[in-house]
Amino acid sequence: MMDQSNRFSTRGLMRLLHGGRAASLQLIQSDSDDDSDSAWDGRLGDRYNPPVDQHPDTRDIDYSEIKEKILLETANLGPKADYSITRLLRQRQLGLCRNSSFSHGECSRVASHFLPNNFTCTDSYVQKAFCGIYSQDGNIFMSACQDQYIRLYDTRNGKFKNFKTIKARDVGWSVLDVAFTPDGACLLYSSWSDYIHICNVFGDVENHTALDLNPEERRFCVFSITVSSDGREILGGANDGCLYVFDREQNSRTLKIDSHEDDVNAVAFADVSSQILFSGGDDALCKVWDRRTLREDSPQPVGILSGHRDGITFIDSKGDARYLISNSKDQTIKLWDIRKFSPKEGLDASRMAVIQQNWDYRWQQVPKRALKKHKLPGDTSLMTYRGHGVLHTLIRCRFSPSFTTGQQYVYSGCSTGKVVIYDVLTGKIVKKLSNHEACVRDVSWHPYEEKIVSSSWDGHVRLWEYRQAEYYEDDLAAVNCKGMEFASVK
């Protein structure tokens, strides 16, 4: 285990702690993924029940462009009608569907009735599972564990079979993030190290390459990594408050941006152009950067999104350079439109809210005062989602895939061992997947199939799929009647 005396950073937050007697100032060290096993092991059980927003505020999203886009992508745009599967099948049988087949939106609408609800496959490790993601084509699943091994699974043709295990190098405490190159030929991983490592996926011989970020901090960690659409640039967010860009062709760090007042926990590219960057940090802010105008000597974000009350643990782009979601230690996910930046009032409000936090999400219970529902002044988010827990570690959230769901859902891991799926437009929980005994840190939805993989600190990686409930005689009789009805109209 690493020496904890080295863990304190000059970027630690000065927070005013109001105790039972006199107030005192305390230096809080970097409070992202720790390198100490003295923290909670992620097993809160019934001790924390994340509050669910029974009546989400949809006033902003109801009049937004994203609502129209999602309704269009799920064939729900237009006058309300009977959207049942039975009606869709009948229309197709009568030849009323365009090209005698379901549209992409209608397929997404049908798929919404068959969300994953049962785990069908699992793999178990001795230590905590930290990361788990599908490749862009969905043919490979990659898992990273605290035992310092990266495992690759063949997921073609309904399989979930481990075909390669790679020993990660230069790992401090655990591998904290992983990524595929767009072509799926290489994988990258980061940890408490000065380097991001890259390794080939295929072949009998492993070729590990260490990409030196040349940081100034003595204790350095990259919490989040992602790769540009052409595979050339690697973007990372680190504990020194900086963004790093590494150019694979030049084999050197080409950019270091002083971006946040505290740890940078999350980074993402806005779309396939890879020109717009997103970052999120422990200062509770999401920042938007334009790669084309970014200068190391005078870094200025295009805009800032504020509204969270505590540090951001993850961000995910919708992929259209307009919308993103952020997960936060304030126990919420927020949806943002980057065309609607926050005013100075919002930045000041978020900064004050962070300063007033005097609890540590890694090993303490969520205080009631941290669960405030009213918006901060200057909060420009379109929607807030509540009902999952963000404790112990940097829990991830993502948009559901466009191909099968029209991106009508956002889903998140949870500190209580669940996967929580929200409807983007209503803010309501549509599904909870429960079978883990510790926090679910990462979740990944197959890009082309209705499958979700959850990675948990209980050491299990679970594959979730839809399973039909048991049939009863009355159900079969109803199905037979429908079949006779369809036959009569041929």
Side-chain angles (χ1 to χ4, degrees), residues 37 127-130 144-149 171 173-175:
D37 286 320
Q127 298 190 49
K128 303 170 184 175
F130 265 71
C145 179
Q146 196 177 16
D147 63 7
Q148 303 184 11
Y149 284 99
V171 175
W173 192 55
S174 178
V175 172

Side-chain angles (χ1 to χ4, degrees), residues 126-143:
V126 176
Q127 298 190 49
K128 303 170 184 175
F130 265 71
C131 310
I133 59 170
Y134 277 105
S135 59
Q136 285 190 9
D137 58 12
N139 290 335
I140 301 174
F141 180 81
M142 171 167 50
S143 175

Side-chain angles (χ1 to χ4, degrees), residues 474-485:
D474 291 344
D475 298 322
L476 294 174
V479 171
N480 289 333
C481 288
K482 290 292 183 184
M484 293 173 63
E485 181 183 342

Side-chain angles (χ1 to χ4, degrees), residues 59-93:
R59 287 174 294 180
D60 291 324
I61 201 170
D62 282 343
Y63 298 97
S64 68
E65 185 181 314
I66 192 175
K67 180 173 183 177
E68 184 175 337
K69 291 179 67 174
I70 290 177
L71 291 178
L72 180 63
E73 291 172 3
T74 55
N76 285 309
L77 193 61
K80 274 294 181 184
D82 181 2
Y83 289 143
S84 67
I85 296 178
T86 304
R87 181 178 175 83
L88 284 172
L89 291 172
R90 184 179 178 84
Q91 286 179 323
R92 187 177 67 174
Q93 195 78 7

